[in-house]
Amino acid sequence: QLQLMESGGGSVQAGGSLRLSCVVHGYYSSLCMAWFRRAPGKEREGVAAAFTGGGSTYYDDSVKGRFAISQDNSKNTLYLHMNSLKPGDTAMYYCAADLTFSACSASRFRSKDRYAYWGQGTQVTVSS
């Protein structure tokens, strides 16, 4: 059983930066991890994903070049570095874990049904 806990959200002005953290309790070495977000009135959408064992990372076009995933395996923690933030990035951000590896591909990482474990979310608000 996994437990995921996000932190690092907050309020920033457009152009600012934030770093979100997702601590994984229970198991970390072989997971497909992802960041999703849900803006008010919209569906939850996949933002980025990566294997905890290293390798390829995947980004939605809306954040490519601005957001980056990193991880600290010694801390069982996945990060989302968010730069050049825009008001359109305002959302609740969630991390998610898939133990089957089926989610980690460019075409599948956005499919929220592939992830069995979710955190509670952390709010990001970007003002203009």
mmCIF file of all heavy atoms in Angstrom, residues 8 27 29 42 44 47 51 55 58 64 66-67 82 84 87 93 98 102 104 106 110-111 114 117 120 126-127:
data_model
loop_
_atom_site.group_PDB
_atom_site.id
_atom_site.type_symbol
_atom_site.label_atom_id
_atom_site.label_comp_id
_atom_site.label_asym_id
_atom_site.label_seq_id
_atom_site.Cartn_x
_atom_site.Cartn_y
_atom_site.Cartn_z
ATOM 1 N N GLY A 8 4.238 22.097 -1.160
ATOM 2 C CA GLY A 8 4.966 23.085 -1.945
ATOM 3 C C GLY A 8 4.106 24.049 -2.727
ATOM 4 O O GLY A 8 4.625 24.972 -3.355
ATOM 5 N N TYR A 27 6.764 2.366 -0.728
ATOM 6 C CA TYR A 27 7.521 1.704 -1.797
ATOM 7 C C TYR A 27 7.881 2.760 -2.815
ATOM 8 O O TYR A 27 7.053 3.606 -3.137
ATOM 9 C CB TYR A 27 6.653 0.627 -2.456
ATOM 10 C CG TYR A 27 7.319 -0.147 -3.562
ATOM 11 C CD1 TYR A 27 8.282 -1.100 -3.264
ATOM 12 C CD2 TYR A 27 6.975 0.049 -4.888
ATOM 13 C CE1 TYR A 27 8.883 -1.823 -4.266
ATOM 14 C CE2 TYR A 27 7.571 -0.665 -5.898
ATOM 15 C CZ TYR A 27 8.519 -1.618 -5.587
ATOM 16 O OH TYR A 27 9.125 -2.329 -6.583
ATOM 17 N N SER A 29 10.961 2.159 -5.355
ATOM 18 C CA SER A 29 12.025 1.862 -6.313
ATOM 19 C C SER A 29 11.551 1.638 -7.743
ATOM 20 O O SER A 29 12.281 1.923 -8.681
ATOM 21 C CB SER A 29 12.822 0.647 -5.844
ATOM 22 O OG SER A 29 11.981 -0.490 -5.783
ATOM 23 N N LYS A 42 -12.701 22.181 -14.695
ATOM 24 C CA LYS A 42 -12.065 21.375 -15.741
ATOM 25 C C LYS A 42 -11.761 19.971 -15.235
ATOM 26 O O LYS A 42 -11.761 19.705 -14.039
ATOM 27 C CB LYS A 42 -10.786 22.048 -16.226
ATOM 28 C CG LYS A 42 -11.006 23.381 -16.915
ATOM 29 C CD LYS A 42 -9.717 23.898 -17.517
ATOM 30 C CE LYS A 42 -9.937 25.194 -18.268
ATOM 31 N NZ LYS A 42 -8.684 25.692 -18.889
ATOM 32 N N ARG A 44 -9.358 16.651 -14.589
ATOM 33 C CA ARG A 44 -7.985 16.440 -14.157
ATOM 34 C C ARG A 44 -7.140 16.081 -15.377
ATOM 35 O O ARG A 44 -7.535 15.223 -16.174
ATOM 36 C CB ARG A 44 -7.932 15.311 -13.124
ATOM 37 C CG ARG A 44 -6.638 15.208 -12.377
ATOM 38 C CD ARG A 44 -6.712 14.148 -11.296
ATOM 39 N NE ARG A 44 -7.740 14.459 -10.289
ATOM 40 C CZ ARG A 44 -7.802 13.859 -9.107
ATOM 41 N NH1 ARG A 44 -6.898 12.923 -8.779
ATOM 42 N NH2 ARG A 44 -8.761 14.156 -8.259
ATOM 43 N N VAL A 47 0.195 16.238 -16.410
ATOM 44 C CA VAL A 47 1.164 17.290 -16.653
ATOM 45 C C VAL A 47 2.534 16.719 -17.002
ATOM 46 O O VAL A 47 3.167 17.146 -17.960
ATOM 47 C CB VAL A 47 1.271 18.203 -15.416
ATOM 48 C CG1 VAL A 47 2.404 19.203 -15.571
ATOM 49 C CG2 VAL A 47 -0.036 18.908 -15.164
ATOM 50 N N PHE A 51 9.647 7.494 -14.557
ATOM 51 C CA PHE A 51 9.935 6.309 -13.759
ATOM 52 C C PHE A 51 10.791 6.695 -12.565
ATOM 53 O O PHE A 51 11.721 7.484 -12.698
ATOM 54 C CB PHE A 51 10.731 5.276 -14.569
ATOM 55 C CG PHE A 51 9.913 4.443 -15.482
ATOM 56 C CD1 PHE A 51 10.047 4.543 -16.847
ATOM 57 C CD2 PHE A 51 9.003 3.534 -14.971
ATOM 58 C CE1 PHE A 51 9.301 3.760 -17.704
ATOM 59 C CE2 PHE A 51 8.243 2.745 -15.815
ATOM 60 C CZ PHE A 51 8.391 2.862 -17.187
ATOM 61 N N GLY A 55 15.319 7.294 -16.339
ATOM 62 C CA GLY A 55 14.966 7.090 -17.730
ATOM 63 C C GLY A 55 14.161 8.256 -18.267
ATOM 64 O O GLY A 55 14.337 9.393 -17.849
ATOM 65 N N TYR A 58 8.146 12.578 -19.326
ATOM 66 C CA TYR A 58 7.087 12.918 -20.270
ATOM 67 C C TYR A 58 6.397 14.188 -19.790
ATOM 68 O O TYR A 58 6.131 14.334 -18.596
ATOM 69 C CB TYR A 58 6.077 11.776 -20.376
ATOM 70 C CG TYR A 58 6.734 10.454 -20.638
ATOM 71 C CD1 TYR A 58 7.028 9.586 -19.587
ATOM 72 C CD2 TYR A 58 7.100 10.076 -21.916
ATOM 73 C CE1 TYR A 58 7.661 8.382 -19.812
ATOM 74 C CE2 TYR A 58 7.730 8.863 -22.148
ATOM 75 C CZ TYR A 58 8.015 8.027 -21.092
ATOM 76 O OH TYR A 58 8.652 6.835 -21.320
ATOM 77 N N LYS A 64 5.741 21.975 -21.344
ATOM 78 C CA LYS A 64 7.065 21.606 -21.847
ATOM 79 C C LYS A 64 7.958 22.846 -21.934
ATOM 80 O O LYS A 64 7.561 23.883 -22.452
ATOM 81 C CB LYS A 64 6.915 20.941 -23.217
ATOM 82 C CG LYS A 64 8.092 20.089 -23.638
ATOM 83 C CD LYS A 64 7.759 19.308 -24.904
ATOM 84 C CE LYS A 64 6.731 18.232 -24.627
ATOM 85 N NZ LYS A 64 6.457 17.407 -25.832
ATOM 86 N N ARG A 66 8.901 24.568 -19.425
ATOM 87 C CA ARG A 66 8.703 25.380 -18.212
ATOM 88 C C ARG A 66 8.738 24.533 -16.943
ATOM 89 O O ARG A 66 9.192 25.005 -15.901
ATOM 90 C CB ARG A 66 7.370 26.121 -18.280
ATOM 91 C CG ARG A 66 7.238 27.062 -19.446
ATOM 92 C CD ARG A 66 5.970 27.910 -19.350
ATOM 93 N NE ARG A 66 4.760 27.111 -19.350
ATOM 94 C CZ ARG A 66 3.846 27.110 -18.382
ATOM 95 N NH1 ARG A 66 4.012 27.870 -17.315
ATOM 96 N NH2 ARG A 66 2.763 26.369 -18.474
ATOM 97 N N PHE A 67 8.235 23.321 -17.021
ATOM 98 C CA PHE A 67 8.181 22.425 -15.866
ATOM 99 C C PHE A 67 9.198 21.307 -16.045
ATOM 100 O O PHE A 67 9.487 20.886 -17.173
ATOM 101 C CB PHE A 67 6.805 21.791 -15.721
ATOM 102 C CG PHE A 67 5.688 22.723 -15.320
ATOM 103 C CD1 PHE A 67 5.846 24.097 -15.315
ATOM 104 C CD2 PHE A 67 4.452 22.199 -14.941
ATOM 105 C CE1 PHE A 67 4.826 24.953 -14.944
ATOM 106 C CE2 PHE A 67 3.416 23.040 -14.569
ATOM 107 C CZ PHE A 67 3.606 24.414 -14.577
ATOM 108 N N MET A 82 8.427 24.158 -11.317
ATOM 109 C CA MET A 82 7.548 24.928 -12.190
ATOM 110 C C MET A 82 8.113 26.341 -12.330
ATOM 111 O O MET A 82 8.207 27.070 -11.342
ATOM 112 C CB MET A 82 6.135 24.973 -11.611
ATOM 113 C CG MET A 82 5.567 23.578 -11.343
ATOM 114 S SD MET A 82 3.818 23.614 -10.887
ATOM 115 C CE MET A 82 3.901 24.551 -9.390
ATOM 116 N N SER A 84 8.335 30.041 -14.919
ATOM 117 C CA SER A 84 7.564 30.883 -15.850
ATOM 118 C C SER A 84 6.065 30.596 -15.719
ATOM 119 O O SER A 84 5.366 30.394 -16.723
ATOM 120 C CB SER A 84 8.023 30.637 -17.297
ATOM 121 O OG SER A 84 9.393 30.907 -17.437
ATOM 122 N N PRO A 87 -1.112 32.398 -15.263
ATOM 123 C CA PRO A 87 -2.410 32.244 -14.588
ATOM 124 C C PRO A 87 -3.122 30.954 -14.984
ATOM 125 O O PRO A 87 -3.842 30.366 -14.163
ATOM 126 C CB PRO A 87 -3.168 33.495 -15.039
ATOM 127 C CG PRO A 87 -2.096 34.516 -15.244
ATOM 128 C CD PRO A 87 -0.939 33.753 -15.828
ATOM 129 N N TYR A 93 -2.807 20.535 -7.722
ATOM 130 C CA TYR A 93 -1.841 19.613 -8.304
ATOM 131 C C TYR A 93 -1.769 18.345 -7.464
ATOM 132 O O TYR A 93 -1.674 18.402 -6.229
ATOM 133 C CB TYR A 93 -0.472 20.279 -8.395
ATOM 134 C CG TYR A 93 -0.355 21.247 -9.546
ATOM 135 C CD1 TYR A 93 -1.012 22.478 -9.505
ATOM 136 C CD2 TYR A 93 0.363 20.930 -10.686
ATOM 137 C CE1 TYR A 93 -0.936 23.366 -10.569
ATOM 138 C CE2 TYR A 93 0.457 21.817 -11.748
ATOM 139 C CZ TYR A 93 -0.197 23.030 -11.681
ATOM 140 O OH TYR A 93 -0.123 23.899 -12.744
ATOM 141 N N ASP A 98 1.728 4.554 -10.337
ATOM 142 C CA ASP A 98 1.289 3.353 -11.059
ATOM 143 C C ASP A 98 2.335 2.272 -10.834
ATOM 144 O O ASP A 98 3.490 2.447 -11.220
ATOM 145 C CB ASP A 98 1.142 3.681 -12.546
ATOM 146 C CG ASP A 98 1.108 2.436 -13.422
ATOM 147 O OD1 ASP A 98 0.494 1.443 -12.994
ATOM 148 O OD2 ASP A 98 1.692 2.468 -14.514
ATOM 149 N N SER A 102 2.408 0.651 -16.737
ATOM 150 C CA SER A 102 1.675 0.827 -17.988
ATOM 151 C C SER A 102 1.489 2.291 -18.347
ATOM 152 O O SER A 102 1.242 2.627 -19.500
ATOM 153 C CB SER A 102 0.313 0.141 -17.895
ATOM 154 O OG SER A 102 -0.521 0.810 -16.971
ATOM 155 N N CYS A 104 3.678 4.872 -18.021
ATOM 156 C CA CYS A 104 4.836 5.679 -18.410
ATOM 157 C C CYS A 104 5.167 5.536 -19.894
ATOM 158 O O CYS A 104 6.064 4.785 -20.271
ATOM 159 C CB CYS A 104 6.047 5.365 -17.526
ATOM 160 S SG CYS A 104 6.183 6.482 -16.111
ATOM 161 N N ALA A 106 4.702 8.236 -23.641
ATOM 162 C CA ALA A 106 4.249 9.543 -24.112
ATOM 163 C C ALA A 106 2.760 9.563 -24.399
ATOM 164 O O ALA A 106 2.101 10.582 -24.247
ATOM 165 C CB ALA A 106 5.043 9.943 -25.353
ATOM 166 N N ARG A 110 -1.056 10.510 -19.530
ATOM 167 C CA ARG A 110 -2.172 11.398 -19.189
ATOM 168 C C ARG A 110 -3.428 10.635 -18.755
ATOM 169 O O ARG A 110 -4.402 11.249 -18.335
ATOM 170 C CB ARG A 110 -2.520 12.280 -20.382
ATOM 171 C CG ARG A 110 -1.399 13.218 -20.835
ATOM 172 C CD ARG A 110 -1.834 13.987 -22.067
ATOM 173 N NE ARG A 110 -0.765 14.755 -22.667
ATOM 174 C CZ ARG A 110 0.128 14.244 -23.497
ATOM 175 N NH1 ARG A 110 0.093 12.972 -23.809
ATOM 176 N NH2 ARG A 110 1.069 15.034 -24.026
ATOM 177 N N SER A 111 -3.416 9.327 -18.874
ATOM 178 C CA SER A 111 -4.610 8.531 -18.560
ATOM 179 C C SER A 111 -4.701 8.312 -17.059
ATOM 180 O O SER A 111 -4.036 7.422 -16.500
ATOM 181 C CB SER A 111 -4.551 7.185 -19.282
ATOM 182 O OG SER A 111 -4.512 7.363 -20.669
ATOM 183 N N ARG A 114 -4.960 4.853 -15.139
ATOM 184 C CA ARG A 114 -3.824 3.942 -15.010
ATOM 185 C C ARG A 114 -3.124 4.057 -13.661
ATOM 186 O O ARG A 114 -2.257 3.248 -13.345
ATOM 187 C CB ARG A 114 -2.821 4.196 -16.135
ATOM 188 C CG ARG A 114 -3.373 3.870 -17.525
ATOM 189 C CD ARG A 114 -2.333 4.027 -18.603
ATOM 190 N NE ARG A 114 -2.861 3.717 -19.922
ATOM 191 C CZ ARG A 114 -2.844 2.500 -20.454
ATOM 192 N NH1 ARG A 114 -2.319 1.507 -19.780
ATOM 193 N NH2 ARG A 114 -3.358 2.297 -21.648
ATOM 194 N N TYR A 117 -2.812 5.037 -7.143
ATOM 195 C CA TYR A 117 -2.555 5.760 -5.900
ATOM 196 C C TYR A 117 -2.456 7.254 -6.178
ATOM 197 O O TYR A 117 -1.791 7.671 -7.133
ATOM 198 C CB TYR A 117 -1.267 5.249 -5.241
ATOM 199 C CG TYR A 117 -1.336 3.795 -4.888
ATOM 200 C CD1 TYR A 117 -0.851 2.832 -5.761
ATOM 201 C CD2 TYR A 117 -1.923 3.388 -3.696
ATOM 202 C CE1 TYR A 117 -0.934 1.494 -5.451
ATOM 203 C CE2 TYR A 117 -2.011 2.044 -3.376
ATOM 204 C CZ TYR A 117 -1.515 1.105 -4.264
ATOM 205 O OH TYR A 117 -1.611 -0.231 -3.947
ATOM 206 N N GLN A 120 -3.414 13.887 -1.878
ATOM 207 C CA GLN A 120 -4.556 14.745 -1.598
ATOM 208 C C GLN A 120 -4.508 16.049 -2.381
ATOM 209 O O GLN A 120 -5.521 16.747 -2.477
ATOM 210 C CB GLN A 120 -4.623 15.051 -0.103
ATOM 211 C CG GLN A 120 -4.918 13.825 0.746
ATOM 212 C CD GLN A 120 -6.246 13.210 0.392
ATOM 213 O OE1 GLN A 120 -7.275 13.873 0.389
ATOM 214 N NE2 GLN A 120 -6.233 11.913 0.068
ATOM 215 N N VAL A 126 -1.716 31.243 -9.495
ATOM 216 C CA VAL A 126 -0.842 32.184 -10.192
ATOM 217 C C VAL A 126 -1.654 33.415 -10.564
ATOM 218 O O VAL A 126 -2.654 33.312 -11.280
ATOM 219 C CB VAL A 126 -0.222 31.554 -11.446
ATOM 220 C CG1 VAL A 126 0.780 32.523 -12.090
ATOM 221 C CG2 VAL A 126 0.460 30.237 -11.113
ATOM 222 N N SER A 127 -1.237 34.559 -10.085
ATOM 223 C CA SER A 127 -1.960 35.800 -10.358
ATOM 224 C C SER A 127 -1.232 36.597 -11.439
ATOM 225 O O SER A 127 -0.022 36.536 -11.575
ATOM 226 C CB SER A 127 -2.088 36.630 -9.087
ATOM 227 O OG SER A 127 -0.805 36.925 -8.564
#
